[in-house]
Amino acid sequence: FMSEHPSTKIEIQGHTDSSGAKALNEKLSQARAEAVRNHLVNNLKADGARISAKGFGSSMPVADNSTVAGRQKN
């Protein structure tokens, strides 16, 4: 995709469920996003200047955090 669209910039987003401390979840989600970015750059040779990584912690849930199934989706 990046090769076919050379002017495109992308943001890799990391997320967590609401289990655990907010600060830890923010670090974890940032680490997840950076791991994906690093894989794209180091293994697939994508242009790192065009890829950013942002962790959102538990601030953007896609499902209910009060259930196991919801936390797994988040």
Side-chain angles (χ1 to χ4, degrees):
F1 177 86
M2 298 291 287
S3 298
E4 293 174 7
H5 304 278
S7 63
T8 301
K9 294 183 179 182
I10 63 171
E11 177 181 80
I12 305 297
Q13 298 182 350
H15 301 272
T16 65
D17 65 23
S18 61
S19 300
K22 181 180 178 182
L24 179 61
N25 283 337
E26 289 174 357
K27 286 182 183 180
L28 176 60
S29 65
Q30 183 66 37
R32 288 176 174 172
E34 289 175 7
V36 173
R37 181 190 179 280
N38 290 341
H39 177 76
L40 294 172
V41 172
N42 297 329
N43 298 78
L44 302 179
K45 307 303 181 202
D47 181 0
R50 295 171 43 210
I51 305 171
S52 61
K54 173 71 175 150
F56 288 93
S58 61
S59 67
M60 297 173 61
V62 296
D64 185 352
N65 275 309
S66 67
T67 67
V68 173
R71 287 188 298 276
Q72 288 175 340
K73 288 180 182 179
N74 290 329

